[in-house]
Amino acid sequence: MSRYDYIIAGAGAAGLSLLIRMIDSGKFQNNKILVIDRAPKTINDRTWCYWEQGDGFFEDIVYHKWEKLFFYSNTFSSPLKINPYRYKMIRGIDFYNWCFEKIGQQINIDIRFGDCRFQNDSNGKLKIYIDDDEILVNDAVVFNSISNNKESKKNTVDLLQHFKGWIIETEDAVFDTDAATLMDFRVSQNLGTTFVYVMPLTSNKALVEYTLFTEAILRKEQYEIALKDYILNFLKISNYNIIEEEFGIIPMTNAQFPFYKNGMYHIGKTGGQTKASTGYTFQFIQKQSQQIINCLIANKPLQQLNGIKSRFNFYDGVLLQLLREKKLGDGAIFTRLFQKNKASKIFKFLDNETSVMEEARLMVSLQIPPFFKAALNQLF
């Protein structure tokens, strides 16, 4: 059995983002690294969309970017002022191929595929198995993005963000490739907070995604009926082909996610890097990955890394409570946010990068009594 310095369990966004940064730094060439995942990445199983200022670490594989975004609801519709941000999309298959091409050039990195499980012996020592074969852990630093690491608390709120998306292709040029729909709340809200987003890829091709924040997922046909209805009645398109489909479920919770537990450092979704109130994950993974690399290079203890500031967890808990109680009919809180504030300010807030004063201005702009009631419930 090989002896490893680092073990990365999970070759998704979190594991690969961390590993590629290790490679890019040039500081880990003398370290033996093992990557574990269930199976090779051979399909486009997901799409990541995010906002970002300037060029990012993965700029070479950005599939499309938009300079203009639109927001729609029954009471307010408008283009959004997003400068200096741009909205970007990365396809999963492009991300995997790009990463594994770089990994394949490194002689110090091994890749193992199979079912991975973790176990702590009677002394608390971590053991890792792949298809029942034990991996020699010894003093390796282990990063995990596979196993569940959630710890519920008294006021934990759990919801699901679930979505069905189609990439449709039309005969005629009907889409503006520079403009995307970030949120459209004009669809039925009977099942809970629901919106659609539209990401044009070419003048005759776009991703149309039907998204809900609820406690349970729908039947397959419910998503499809909603997509057909939106494409026909809002996009005014009756003749199109579905060339790709995607379906996803993102847990939304204000539960706690310890960074270090059971002999492993937890990263990505299992490390609490999913924004509880929106489901956005990709950019939080990038921040955490870079922080980890900086610590490792500086030979500083990883335990010193700061988690998400408590006040942002508080804000997320408030919004989740309102979503669960269905007191935000037709996306009222999102409508008021985008109606009263520049989108760039909201993006900064959702990135957990605002000051207390900036956050106070955003809160005042809401002026929604249920928001303040939920805030008191979360606080006390």
Side-chain angles (χ1 to χ4, degrees):
M1 291 190 294
S2 297
R3 193 180 192 94
Y4 295 102
D5 299 295
Y6 298 97
I7 298 175
I8 299 176
L16 293 179
S17 293
L18 178 62
L19 181 57
I20 291 300
R21 278 178 164 79
M22 295 176 80
I23 295 171
D24 186 70
S25 73
K27 301 293 186 181
F28 300 88
Q29 295 173 338
N30 296 323
N31 296 118
K32 191 71 174 175
I33 303 171
L34 173 66
V35 181
I36 304 168
D37 204 83
R38 182 182 297 275
K41 306 288 189 179
T42 59
I43 61 173
N44 187 41
D45 59 350
R46 67 195 64 230
T47 300
W48 293 292
C49 289
Y50 58 98
W51 51 80
E52 186 172 46
Q53 298 185 44
D55 293 341
F57 189 85
F58 292 102
E59 198 68 24
D60 288 346
I61 53 171
V62 170
Y63 187 69
H64 200 89
K65 62 187 73 172
W66 295 270
E67 305 286 345
K68 296 180 290 185
L69 294 178
F70 284 84
F71 179 92
Y72 297 98
S73 73
N74 290 321
T75 58
F76 170 74
S77 296
S78 175
L80 303 176
K81 297 179 180 179
I82 67 171
N83 188 56
Y85 294 92
R86 286 179 294 176
Y87 202 66
K88 303 179 181 182
M89 171 192 286
I90 291 179
R91 300 194 315 158
I93 192 64
D94 297 335
F95 177 83
Y96 302 138
N97 289 343
W98 189 80
C99 290
F100 279 106
E101 181 180 353
K102 291 183 178 296
I103 293 167
Q105 298 169 9
Q106 312 301 313
I107 62 173
N108 62 317
I109 300 177
D110 292 340
I111 304 174
R112 289 281 304 271
F113 295 110
D115 289 324
C116 178
R117 64 183 178 90
F118 307 100
Q119 180 180 314
N120 293 91
D121 63 20
S122 57
N123 296 318
K125 182 70 174 178
L126 174 66
K127 293 180 177 292
I128 300 177
Y129 297 88
I130 304 176
D131 291 337
D132 296 326
D133 292 334
E134 184 177 355
I135 301 300
L136 194 63
V137 176
N138 286 332
D139 297 324
V141 179
V142 180
F143 296 100
N144 165 52
S145 63
I146 297 177
S147 67
N148 183 23
N149 186 43
K150 185 176 78 170
E151 293 182 352
S152 296
K153 51 186 179 180
K154 185 176 181 180
N155 62 339
T156 293
V157 182
D158 293 300
L159 284 178
L160 298 175
Q161 178 182 156
H162 46 111
F163 50 87
K164 176 78 172 183
W166 289 343
I167 293 182
I168 63 170
E169 187 174 50
T170 63
E171 291 185 3
D172 300 323
V174 296
F175 299 111
D176 179 357
T177 56
D178 291 328
T181 297
L182 180 66
M183 288 180 164
D184 190 339
F185 285 99
R186 294 174 296 175
V187 295
S188 171
Q189 304 292 312
N190 290 339
L191 299 174
T193 300
T194 308
F195 64 93
V196 175
Y197 61 86
V198 182
M199 304 286 138
L201 306 175
T202 68
S203 61
N204 71 327
K205 188 188 301 182
L207 170 64
V208 184
E209 198 114 350
Y210 177 71
T211 305
L212 305 96
F213 296 157
T214 61
E215 294 183 274
I217 64 173
L218 309 182
R219 300 187 307 275
K220 178 181 177 181
E221 60 269 22
Q222 289 178 280
Y223 299 102
E224 295 178 349
I225 291 171
L227 281 167
K228 290 177 182 177
D229 179 75
Y230 184 85
I231 293 169
L232 178 63
N233 296 311
F234 291 92
L235 297 183
K236 307 299 181 183
I237 298 172
S238 57
N239 186 19
Y240 59 91
N241 293 317
I242 302 169
I243 59 175
E244 284 189 38
E245 297 187 29
E246 69 175 24
F247 175 77
I249 303 171
I250 301 174
M252 301 172 67
T253 178
N254 63 335
Q256 296 175 335
F257 291 83
F259 178 46
Y260 184 80
K261 183 181 177 183
N262 296 331
M264 299 180 287
Y265 294 98
H266 299 273
I267 60 177
K269 286 192 292 186
T270 194
Q273 296 308 302
T274 294
K275 177 71 172 174
S277 57
T278 63
Y280 281 99
T281 308
F282 190 79
Q283 284 295 73
F284 286 99
I285 284 174
Q286 304 316 315
K287 291 179 186 178
Q288 185 191 53
S289 297
Q290 193 57 57
Q291 289 172 349
I292 290 172
I293 294 301
N294 292 343
C295 269
L296 292 176
I297 292 174
N299 199 28
K300 294 181 179 179
L302 290 176
Q303 286 90 336
Q304 75 169 25
L305 289 180
N306 295 322
I308 296 173
K309 294 178 180 178
S310 59
R311 69 178 191 274
F312 290 108
N313 287 325
F314 168 71
Y315 302 144
D316 287 336
V318 171
L319 183 55
L320 282 175
Q321 182 175 325
L322 290 170
L323 290 170
R324 183 181 64 183
E325 295 174 357
K326 300 180 180 179
K327 293 184 177 179
L328 301 176
D330 71 2
I333 195 167
F334 297 102
T335 296
R336 192 169 288 270
L337 265 176
F338 284 103
Q339 186 177 17
K340 300 291 185 180
N341 304 278
K342 288 183 179 180
S344 57
K345 297 290 186 183
I346 299 171
F347 289 171
K348 186 179 179 182
F349 170 65
L350 295 178
D351 281 340
N352 297 352
E353 294 176 352
T354 44
S355 66
V356 173
M357 185 61 69
E358 289 172 314
E359 293 149 25
R361 295 192 190 102
L362 287 170
M363 298 304 124
V364 170
S365 73
L366 293 174
Q367 298 177 347
I368 299 176
F371 177 86
F372 296 108
K373 182 179 179 182
L376 289 174
N377 287 338
Q378 284 290 312
L379 190 61
F380 297 110

